[in-house]
């Protein structure tokens, strides 16, 4: 059987692409390795819940406050007005998305991608079936590579896919710390401290009966487990039972190309679509999966390989400006503790708080208050130049 589309990777991006194509009546295969859970804080904004029809039972916590913690231990609480950020457990969330794709008609395959070969009438995906260990060959018309930051599809097929920059993220899932002093099950803590991460941040994210505690860094010599242990100790969580430990690369920048100009298009982490500064990936992975499915649909209808470029064009048109702003913030403020201290101080500003969360919740820069943007720009410059002293409430 020849499939219209073969999706490599069953995370949020691949599952979304497979579901969209199956809903459109295409014959779709979804290949997933199974048994692997990506380390992730698990935050999903209201727009994701609405755009992708996420049922309530998957949301294990509703976050109504974010606490920014500076290198000196100063904290700024940013309250979410009129809404919440949902938290999901990735093992349940990802499986729901894969199941939903299958319910729409996608064929689920369990195994490991090996390579792409080509015959006269199109590509053939070669993969190893998990249950039998046998090598399988599956013909298709188009391949969607959604197999993570170290994507085998990207490395083999797309120019630049073998050199994507990334940070390594590591977290520990711990038993419910509710009742411990300083822990709030309705609040996410984000720790900007060079002792925990010299170039990114650490986090404590509630997950209902559990919590995710972790950090990320681009520095290869950082001991991630030691840094996470230090974060747990300084937060009073050192004695909590550890249920699971996970680590994985997270890309830092969208690739310049998402297609091979022939029959392959990338999506999600494989395309590099994790937000700089925040490291947020689930929404952008699913948006990237939808963009890849749209491009694949155009390609299948027209036969023009150039239509595969639509995936990146659509994504960058909607989200490129946000990525540039977040990238500039990370470059400006994450380089040392002095700047991290000033960044947390800047978060005191009410305009910063409101516009930040409006942009986060809606996934676009808000243009309704142009003077607020001007004020933020001036305040940002003043903090970077050291013209103001940190103020604490």
């Amino acid at each position: 059987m020849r499939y219209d589309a073969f999706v490599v990777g069953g995370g949020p991006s691949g599952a979304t692409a497979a579901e969209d194509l199956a809903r459109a009546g295409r014959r779709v295969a979804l290949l997933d390795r199974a048994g692997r859970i990506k380390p992730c804080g698990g935050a999903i904004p209201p727009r994701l819940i609405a755009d992708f029809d996420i049922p309530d039972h998957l949301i294990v916590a509703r976050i109504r406050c974010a606490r920014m913690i500076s290198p000196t231990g100063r904290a700024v609480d940013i309250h979410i007005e009129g809404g919440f950020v949902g938290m999901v457990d990735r093992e349940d969330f990802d499986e729901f998305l894969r199941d939903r794709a299958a319910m729409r008609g996608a064929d689920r395959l369990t195994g490991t991608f090996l390579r792409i070969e080509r015959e006269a009438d199109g590509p053939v995906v070669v993969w190893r079936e998990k249950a039998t260990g046998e090598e399988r060959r599956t013909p298709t018309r188009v391949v969607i590579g959604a197999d993570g930051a170290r994507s085998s599809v990207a490395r083999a097929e797309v120019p630049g896919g073998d050199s994507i920059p990334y940070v390594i993220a590591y977290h520990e899932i711990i038993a419910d710390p509710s009742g411990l002093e300083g822990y709030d099950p309705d609040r996410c803590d984000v720790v900007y401290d060079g002792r925990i991460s010299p170039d990114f941040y650490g986090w404590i994210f509630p997950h209902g009966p559990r919590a995710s505690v972790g950090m990320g860094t681009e520095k290869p010599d950082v001991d991630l487990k030691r840094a996470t242990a230090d974060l747990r100790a300084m937060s009073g969580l050192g004695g909590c039972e550890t249920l699971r430990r996970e680590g994985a690369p997270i890309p830092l920048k969208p690739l310049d190309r998402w297609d091979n100009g022939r029959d392959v298009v990338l999506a999600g982490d494989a395309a590099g679509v994790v937000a700089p500064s925040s490291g947020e990936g689930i929404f952008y992975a699913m948006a990237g999966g939808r963009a890849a499915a749209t491009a694949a649909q155009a390609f299948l209808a027209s036969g023009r390989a150039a239509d595969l470029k639509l995936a990146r064009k659509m994504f960058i048109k909607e989200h490129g400006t946000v990525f540039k702003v977040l990238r500039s913030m990370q470059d400006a403020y994450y380089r040392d503790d002095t700047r991290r201290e000033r960044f947390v101080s800047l978060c005191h500003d009410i305009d910063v708080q409101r516009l930040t969360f409006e942009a986060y919740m809606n996934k676009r820069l808000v243009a309704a208050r142009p003077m607020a943007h001007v004020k933020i720009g001036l305040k940002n410059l003043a903090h970077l130049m050291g013209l103001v002293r940190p103020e604490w409430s």
Side-chain angles (χ1 to χ4, degrees):
M1 180 176 65
R2 178 176 295 278
Y3 286 98
D4 292 317
F6 192 108
V7 182
V8 181
S13 184
T16 298
E19 182 191 359
D20 281 6
L21 286 164
R23 285 168 64 100
R26 297 296 184 178
R27 302 185 73 174
V28 184
L30 175 61
L31 176 68
D32 188 62
R33 294 189 335 193
R36 179 183 179 278
I37 306 168
K38 180 183 175 181
C40 174
I44 60 173
R47 182 174 169 187
L48 184 154
I49 297 170
D51 283 4
F52 298 98
D53 194 23
I54 303 304
D56 189 69
H57 75 268
L58 287 175
I59 301 173
V60 297
R62 288 167 170 76
I63 302 303
R64 304 184 188 278
C65 177
R67 172 167 289 181
M68 310 296 185
I69 302 172
S70 79
T72 60
R74 309 275 189 167
V76 175
D77 285 353
I78 303 178
H79 296 278
I80 302 170
E81 299 177 357
F84 65 89
V85 175
M87 306 300 294
V88 297
D89 288 331
R90 286 293 299 271
E91 65 267 39
D92 300 323
F93 183 76
D94 290 17
E95 182 62 16
F96 167 82
L97 296 176
R98 289 189 288 267
D99 276 346
R100 189 164 68 176
M103 289 175 62
R104 300 297 184 185
D107 289 343
R108 288 187 62 175
L109 308 175
T110 303
T112 305
F113 169 84
L114 297 176
R115 63 189 179 275
I116 296 174
E117 296 178 353
R118 288 179 172 83
E119 297 178 343
D121 54 353
V124 175
V125 178
V126 184
W127 56 284
R128 190 175 305 284
E129 188 175 37
K130 183 176 181 180
T132 65
E134 294 181 3
E135 192 171 291
R136 304 290 188 185
R137 302 178 78 258
T138 305
T140 186
R141 295 178 62 192
V142 65
V143 178
I144 296 178
D147 51 335
R150 291 172 174 164
S151 166
S152 296
V153 176
R155 288 201 301 270
E157 294 288 334
V158 177
D162 58 348
S163 58
I164 183 170
Y166 56 83
V167 300
I168 296 295
Y170 172 82
H171 78 160
E172 297 176 357
I173 300 295
I174 63 174
D176 185 12
S178 293
L180 294 180
E181 184 179 356
Y183 178 80
D184 185 341
D186 297 324
R187 186 189 72 217
C188 283
D189 290 0
V190 185
V191 181
Y192 298 98
D193 188 334
R195 295 170 297 176
I196 303 302
S197 173
D199 55 344
F200 209 56
Y201 64 80
W203 68 80
I204 301 168
F205 288 175
H207 279 234
R210 297 180 285 184
S212 164
V213 185
M215 51 78 67
T217 181
E218 194 178 357
K219 307 290 186 183
D221 56 341
V222 173
D223 187 333
L224 283 76
K225 292 183 178 180
R226 179 71 262 166
T228 301
D230 291 343
L231 175 59
R232 289 180 60 172
M234 66 186 286
S235 306
L237 304 176
C240 294
E241 179 187 1
T242 302
L243 305 176
R244 203 169 70 229
R245 296 179 174 89
E246 297 153 354
I250 296 177
L252 290 175
K253 180 184 177 183
L255 290 175
D256 293 333
R257 283 191 63 173
W258 292 10
D259 71 282
N260 68 347
R262 187 174 184 180
D263 48 24
V264 173
V265 64
L266 304 178
D269 282 11
V273 293
V274 173
S277 181
S278 68
E280 182 193 358
I282 300 178
F283 171 80
Y284 293 111
M286 295 177 76
R290 178 151 290 172
T294 302
Q297 272 279 77
F299 167 76
L300 291 169
S302 71
R304 294 191 300 265
D307 285 344
L308 294 175
K309 297 183 184 300
L310 286 172
R312 190 179 191 279
K313 288 180 180 178
M314 291 171 57
F315 186 93
I316 297 300
K317 181 178 180 180
E318 182 166 4
H319 305 294
T321 300
V322 171
F323 271 51
K324 287 180 180 178
V325 170
L326 293 176
R327 178 79 257 175
S328 66
M329 283 179 56
Q330 182 173 335
D331 291 343
Y333 283 111
Y334 286 17
R335 63 179 63 177
D336 58 51
D337 276 354
T338 299
R339 294 201 174 204
R340 280 187 275 267
E341 194 79 38
R342 293 190 175 278
F343 173 69
V344 175
S345 177
L346 182 63
C347 291
H348 267 284
D349 187 272
I350 192 65
D351 288 321
V352 172
Q353 294 184 13
R354 286 177 177 170
L355 290 179
T356 296
F357 269 97
E358 286 175 2
Y360 173 80
M361 305 282 263
N362 299 305
K363 287 293 165 277
R364 59 177 61 93
L365 294 178
V366 181
R369 294 195 296 272
M371 285 308 300
H373 287 282
V374 174
K375 287 168 60 180
I376 289 172
L378 293 174
K379 292 171 184 175
N380 180 52
L381 182 62
H383 277 274
L384 283 173
M385 295 178 66
L387 300 179
V388 295
R389 295 178 61 188
E391 296 178 0
W392 306 103
S393 59

